[in-house]
Each structure stands twice: as structure tokens, then as C-alpha cells.
Amino acid sequence: HSDNFNFTNTADVNSIYKFASYPGFGFDIGGVYEWRPDWESHKYEMDDEEGLWRKDHNKYKVKASLAVTDIGGIRFKKGSLSNDFTANVNAWNVSSLDITGVNDFDSTMTNVFGHKASETTFKMALPTAINAQLDYNIWKPFYINLTANIANLTPNRESKVHDFTNISIAPRFDHKWFGLTLPFSYNTLAAKRNQPIMFGTMVRLGPLVVGSNNMPGLFSSDVYGANLYFLLKIPIPYGRPHDRDKDKVSDKKDVCKEVPGVWEFMGCPDRDGDHIPDKDDK
């Protein structure tokens, strides 16, 4: 056990814990690909500039992403009483040993059994996981999403922490100010409790998001696995400049907002194209 473990004075147990790790190193790596078959429809011309992107549009038909997260680990010092021991079970009747507490256990292990040469540190692996996602735009604001979070990639490693594998499929309606998502999830932890499939709901109203990955769990006497989350965010409402007369000169710069014109004369008309505005053309 670690040196932080205090079994003699429980009143001081909170005061003796200390930071016992060395600096660690970790990183994530991933990428996103978007397939945009009609990408040209998301561009426009305004104020003598061409090829401007509609930032208020989702431009993809299919979006795919793949990432590996939490690669690395943190090294810790072993406690002075943490060792590897050797013992011949045929030579010792362990059940006859009189061990009444941690002190007795430490004394027996240290004085009776032999020590093996071992490192003075151990490495705790980060919860490395593979995250894959596929998002498909069915039609206009209707989407369907497939997400897989594959965890516990090294099940036989002892010094590690890990999440549980979760795979979900979620149809959704995604409008500018309103969204509704209905995720169906498979989770390895829930599967151990004979509840492999979870059903959830997520509602977005403007900047507020409220949801749960396991709606039945909220109304069950067994609240294991129930969850509720909410989010409040400040969005950036993108859009294209207003152009009332559709002459590709924004209302902000258009001198003649009610009549289609040309950029050369700041939105005022030149019907015969002789580079003299109609108001001066004789």
C-alpha cells in the first residue's frame, strides 16, 4: 500500500495525502472529413467579392471523424511498503498466520517472505479510447448520427483507468433555433446489468440544451446509470448580408436599395451598361 495510507490516526487521514506523481505526457490525434457534393450552392457573390461561403449552412452530406484520445500515462512512485514478494505456498500455512491488522500484515510480508527486485515506480495508463463518428444529412434539417466510443483497449493491463465502450445511433432534427435528438445506445457497463440498450432524448431551445442518455432510468426505482445534463451556450448567429433588391450589393453599402444596380455605382442602376449611372445618363 502507499505511504499515504494512514491506519493509526483517522483524524489526520485528510492531511497526509500528497501529490506523488511525476509529470506525465499525453496527447490526442484525430481528423474530420466532410463530403460536400453540392458545395457550389453554398457560395455567393456580394460587394464585388466572389466565392464567399455561407457560414450559416451545414455544407456536408456526410461527415466522418476518427480520433484516438488520452494516449499516454503518468508515472507514480511506489510506496516504501509496496514490493514484489516470493512465497512457497507448500511451506507456509497462510490460514494459521495471526494477522489482526495492517501492521501485522506489513510485518509478516516484510520479515517472512522474500523480496523480489522490482522497479521503484509504476506507470498508470490514461483512459485511451477510439472515437469514431458518422453523421449523415438525410434531407434538409433531418440527420442521423452513428457514434462509437471504444474503450478499455488494454484489458490485461493492471495499472490503468478506463471508460466503458458505448455505441449509439441517433436520429435528429436540427433547425437553427430548435433541435431534437433521440439517441439509442449500447453500453458495456449497462450490458452487464442486463440493460444493454438505453434510450435518451435531447432538446435544444435556442441557447439551452437539456437531455438524458437514459430516460427510463430517470423514472425507475433502480437509478443506476440514470443521468441528466444541460448546457447553456452563447451562439454566433452567422448569416449572409441583406440584399433587398438582389443586385449583389449589400443593403449596408447600397445607395439605391429599392432598385437593382451595379457595384460600380454602389447599387445604383446602369441599364445600358455604358458606365454612366442612369441618373446622369442623357
Side-chain angles (χ1 to χ4, degrees):
H1 58 77
S2 69
D3 291 332
N4 290 341
F5 180 47
N6 183 350
F7 49 86
T8 58
N9 188 352
T10 56
D12 294 335
V13 69
N14 292 323
S15 62
I16 64 170
Y17 282 99
K18 59 184 181 294
F19 191 73
S21 71
Y22 295 97
F25 178 76
F27 66 97
D28 308 329
I29 185 170
V32 179
Y33 171 76
E34 292 187 359
W35 180 48
R36 304 176 177 180
D38 56 345
W39 58 273
E40 290 183 336
S41 66
H42 299 285
K43 288 192 171 185
Y44 68 99
E45 178 184 346
M46 188 68 67
D47 296 341
D48 202 34
E49 290 187 68
E50 297 181 353
L52 300 174
W53 284 103
R54 289 292 302 267
K55 292 185 177 182
D56 56 326
H57 285 183
N58 279 339
K59 305 169 186 65
Y60 65 86
K61 185 67 176 177
V62 177
K63 179 166 68 173
S65 65
L66 179 66
V68 183
T69 57
D70 291 326
I71 304 170
I74 301 175
R75 188 167 294 279
F76 291 86
K77 287 186 280 188
K78 283 186 178 179
S80 58
L81 294 171
S82 295
N83 295 287
D84 292 331
F85 300 94
T86 58
N88 187 338
V89 295
N90 296 317
W92 289 94
N93 182 7
V94 179
S95 62
S96 67
L97 296 176
D98 185 18
I99 297 177
T100 60
V102 178
N103 271 325
D104 289 345
F105 179 81
D106 288 339
S107 177
T108 301
M109 296 296 291
T110 303
N111 298 315
V112 176
F113 301 121
H115 289 206
K116 292 175 62 177
S118 63
E119 295 184 6
T120 58
T121 63
F122 68 95
K123 185 178 180 181
M124 178 69 74
L126 295 177
T128 307
I130 297 174
N131 296 272
Q133 185 172 169
L134 192 66
D135 203 54
Y136 178 67
N137 180 207
I138 301 172
W139 177 72
K140 293 188 177 180
F142 295 96
Y143 295 78
I144 189 165
N145 180 278
L146 176 64
T147 299
N149 179 263
I150 311 300
N152 198 15
L153 302 179
T154 55
N156 296 325
R157 180 168 184 162
E158 295 179 351
S159 301
K160 69 177 186 298
V161 290
H162 68 88
D163 202 348
F164 293 94
T165 294
N166 189 84
I167 301 173
S168 67
I169 185 167
R172 79 178 186 275
F173 176 82
D174 207 0
H175 195 261
K176 185 175 183 179
W177 295 108
F178 173 76
L180 177 66
T181 305
L182 302 174
F184 296 84
S185 304
Y186 169 83
N187 186 286
T188 52
L189 175 61
K192 292 180 179 180
R193 297 178 56 84
N194 297 319
Q195 299 172 349
I197 305 299
M198 296 187 297
F199 166 71
T201 305
M202 186 276 287
V203 178
R204 176 175 55 84
L205 296 172
L208 179 64
V209 175
V210 179
S212 171
N213 291 335
N214 188 9
M215 287 293 291
L218 295 176
F219 305 99
S220 171
S221 58
D222 180 9
V223 296
Y224 186 85
N227 63 73
L228 181 68
Y229 61 85
F230 67 92
L231 169 72
L232 182 64
K233 65 179 181 178
I234 301 176
I236 300 175
Y238 286 113
R240 62 178 295 175
H242 294 290
D243 180 14
R244 194 182 313 172
D245 54 11
K246 310 298 182 186
D247 60 358
K248 299 181 181 179
V249 179
S250 64
D251 290 350
K252 187 176 181 180
K253 298 181 179 181
D254 200 331
V255 177
C256 305
K257 294 182 176 61
E258 304 297 334
V259 182
V262 295
W263 170 253
E264 182 181 2
F265 302 116
M266 303 306 293
C268 291
D270 174 19
R271 284 175 291 179
D272 55 8
D274 61 357
H275 302 287
I276 299 174
D278 288 355
K279 66 184 182 63
D280 298 326
D281 199 333
K282 298 180 181 179

